[in-house]
Amino acid sequence: MMSIPRSLSLVALAAILALTACSEAQDTHPAQLVTKRRALFKQFTRTLEPMGLVARDAKNYNPREFKVSALALEQLATQPWGYFTPDSNYPPTHAKPAVWLQAPEFKQAQENFQAKVGLLVEAAESGNLEVIRTAVTEVQYSCKTCHNQFRKDY
């Protein structure tokens, strides 16, 4: 068996420590509000991405599968907002202070997103691929608009 030279081991250890030092802060809040809302946003992405592929003709359209995804996104669409409490503005949040300083605008962005998701569900039920494409684009645009106003760039 071949042994690793000590100098190489030290380099590897230094690299691991450097990466650890650069890593993002951990969510140490007792309720882990940031972690919970991030998990929901990741689920948004996992649910919406396949629909986006269908809208861009990069994936075959399966009406039943699409409708299930749209309904799943509709259920998710109301869930993360309760985790944006006044005491949830701590590292490792990616939320801008505007979330709390412009609360009515943030609430409006949430409602806009939920409305666009509702239209996506209606489009999915129609089975009309052109209407579906438009609805997917509008949901994605509502995400981007909210991120531009309320999420820090990293």
Side-chain angles (χ1 to χ4, degrees):
M1 178 153 73
M2 193 170 155
S3 67
I4 299 173
R6 182 174 171 81
S7 62
L8 187 56
S9 296
L10 292 175
V11 169
L13 179 60
I16 290 169
L17 290 174
L19 287 173
T20 303
C22 294
S23 69
E24 192 169 59
Q26 297 298 308
D27 186 349
T28 58
H29 189 279
Q32 294 207 310
L33 300 168
V34 172
T35 297
K36 288 176 181 174
R37 67 185 183 228
R38 276 189 181 176
L40 288 164
F41 287 130
K42 286 179 184 177
Q43 189 61 39
F44 277 15
T45 302
R46 286 190 296 270
T47 305
L48 184 57
E49 277 181 347
M51 291 187 281
L53 292 173
V54 168
R56 292 186 305 278
D57 291 323
K59 179 180 177 187
N60 289 333
Y61 172 57
N62 176 322
R64 184 188 160 298
E65 181 182 297
F66 194 94
K67 185 176 177 183
V68 167
S69 293
L71 289 168
L73 187 61
E74 184 177 48
Q75 269 193 322
L76 288 167
T78 60
Q79 295 182 21
W81 317 116
Y83 297 113
F84 284 95
T85 60
D87 65 337
S88 71
N89 186 14
Y90 60 86
T93 190
H94 289 178
K96 290 180 180 177
V99 166
W100 296 275
L101 297 173
Q102 299 172 348
E105 292 87 348
F106 185 56
K107 179 73 173 163
Q108 183 59 49
Q110 296 166 35
E111 291 170 357
N112 182 54
F113 171 71
Q114 292 167 356
K116 297 301 181 185
V117 171
L119 293 174
L120 177 62
V121 169
E122 290 177 19
E125 289 171 350
S126 79
N128 181 325
L129 202 47
E130 287 308 311
V131 173
I132 286 170
R133 284 186 181 106
T134 300
V136 168
T137 299
E138 289 182 10
V139 169
Q140 291 171 332
Y141 182 75
S142 73
C143 293
K144 182 173 178 23
T145 301
C146 187
H147 286 190
N148 288 347
Q149 188 172 0
F150 298 107
R151 187 174 188 268
K152 296 174 190 171
D153 293 327
Y154 286 91

